């Protein structure tokens, strides 16, 4: 089942990043990276055509309280987001019904790709959700063509779990992989004790 999560008042620190709730003042930084073509598209949303669009989404982030802003310590610039999302397949993934977890999703400004920043952020969130909130599992997905995101998930320990067709926010469909990470501090005597098995 989907676990509870509220980003209000949280601050997670890594070597190079601060993960904290979004603020109205982040609008300029958000638009700067979200307006670049082929960044959001890799995560299923169209790049922002104008600042109004960014403002609308930023308002959702602040209202829904499930998305971290990724602030670079060296410049205090916000360079990405990481959401602790409700997973939408609760009715299909019945093996999780007595366990608590969420699905994470993320986007990083193109200017900062390839420096290991997203794995750093993802690991901090995994650590918080498993060790402080005691979640049982986390899901994370990527489209087949998104090798960079696949690498982030591999490096953070997520194992391929299901092959899926995702509905994007652009009204298209993309085939991809849903990956699973189980809390290593818990033991599971369930069907998915071999999470590397792909189920088609
Ligand atoms: C996916 C994403 C978050 C990766 O973040 P990151 O901080 O760059 O991740 P890493 O630095 O660990 O790089 C991951 C892999 O991408 C590849 N890579 C890095 N920079 C690259 C670049 N500029 N061009 C092509 N490949 C690149 C590398 O192979 C790297 O793997 P390696 O560590 O084994 O060499 C980032 O590319 C992004 O925001 N993409 C657009 C949105 C998106 O895809 N979100 C996820 C949706 S599922």
């Amino acid at each position: 089942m989907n676990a509870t999560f509220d980003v209000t008042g949280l601050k997670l620190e890594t070597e190079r990043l601060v993960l904290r709730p979004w603020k109205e003042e982040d609008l300029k930084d958000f638009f700067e990276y979200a307006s670049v073509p082929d960044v959001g598209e890799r995560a299923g949303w169209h790049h922002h055509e104008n600042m109004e669009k960014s403002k609308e989404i930023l308002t959702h982030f602040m209202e829904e309280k499930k998305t971290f802003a990724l602030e670079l310590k060296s410049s205090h610039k916000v360079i990405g987001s990481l959401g602790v999302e409700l997973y939408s397949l609760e009715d299909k993934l019945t093996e999780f019904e007595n366990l608590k977890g969420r699905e994470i999703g993320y986007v990083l400004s193109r200017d900062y790709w390839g420096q290991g920043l997203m794995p750093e952020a993802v690991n901090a969130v995994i650590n918080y959700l498993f060790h402080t909130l005691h979640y049982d599992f986390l899901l994370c997905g990527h489209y087949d063509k998104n090798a960079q995101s696949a690498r982030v998930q591999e490096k953070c320990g997520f194992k391929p779990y299901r092959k899926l067709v995702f509905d994007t926010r652009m009204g298209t469909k993309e085939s991809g992989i849903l990956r699973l990470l189980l809390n290593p501090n818990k033991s599971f005597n369930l069907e998915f004790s071999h999470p590397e098995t792909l189920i088609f």
Side-chain angles (χ1 to χ4, degrees):
M1 73 180 86
N2 273 298
T4 54
F5 180 74
D6 188 341
V7 76
T8 309
L10 285 180
K11 183 181 175 191
L12 307 182
E13 275 197 56
T14 69
E15 190 190 336
R16 293 171 291 174
L17 297 167
V18 173
L19 283 67
R20 46 97 173 148
W22 282 87
K23 303 186 274 205
E24 275 177 26
E25 306 88 279
D26 298 326
L27 179 60
K28 190 172 150 287
D29 290 346
F30 183 33
F31 178 66
E32 193 174 314
Y33 77 77
S35 57
V36 175
D38 197 33
V39 176
E41 278 79 359
R42 294 172 186 234
W45 48 270
H46 198 277
H47 64 278
H48 298 177
E49 302 277 0
N50 50 54
M51 212 178 260
E52 275 310 300
K53 183 67 189 179
S54 299
K55 195 171 177 189
E56 184 194 316
I57 305 297
L58 179 55
T59 303
H60 285 309
F61 284 166
M62 292 191 299
E63 286 172 357
E64 292 175 355
K65 302 179 173 56
K66 59 183 172 58
T67 305
F68 288 100
L70 310 186
E71 184 182 309
L72 198 59
K73 280 184 178 173
S74 59
S75 62
H76 299 293
K77 196 177 176 73
V78 171
I79 59 165
S81 72
L82 196 162
V84 181
E85 310 290 345
L86 294 166
Y87 67 99
S88 58
L89 295 168
E90 257 185 333
D91 55 331
K92 295 208 172 71
L93 300 173
T94 50
E95 64 272 39
F96 296 113
E97 66 188 359
N98 296 317
L99 301 173
K100 56 177 194 168
R102 286 263 185 153
E103 179 170 347
I104 61 167
Y106 44 76
V107 170
L108 185 71
S109 163
R110 186 185 275 275
D111 294 344
Y112 297 86
W113 289 2
Q115 301 174 34
L117 282 163
M118 195 52 80
E120 194 171 307
V122 170
N123 278 326
V125 170
I126 291 171
N127 193 40
Y128 177 74
L129 297 176
F130 280 171
H131 299 290
T132 304
L133 297 188
H134 307 291
Y135 281 17
D136 298 300
F137 69 92
L138 284 170
L139 297 166
C140 198
H142 62 83
Y143 304 149
D144 287 334
K145 61 190 179 193
N146 194 343
Q148 288 170 238
S149 185
R151 273 301 288 148
V152 170
Q153 293 173 33
E154 275 166 14
K155 290 194 282 186
C156 294
F158 286 86
K159 304 282 188 231
Y161 187 57
R162 297 270 177 131
K163 197 163 168 45
L164 285 182
V165 176
F166 294 92
D167 290 312
T168 75
R169 292 195 180 103
M170 299 175 291
T172 55
K173 291 192 184 295
E174 291 277 354
S175 62
I177 303 285
L178 184 69
R179 290 174 185 254
L180 172 68
L181 183 65
L182 296 172
N183 188 333
N185 300 320
K186 301 192 179 203
S187 54
F188 300 94
N189 184 21
L190 292 160
E191 282 173 32
F192 56 78
S193 55
H194 300 290
E196 66 278 5
T197 308
L198 279 180
I199 302 166
F200 294 91

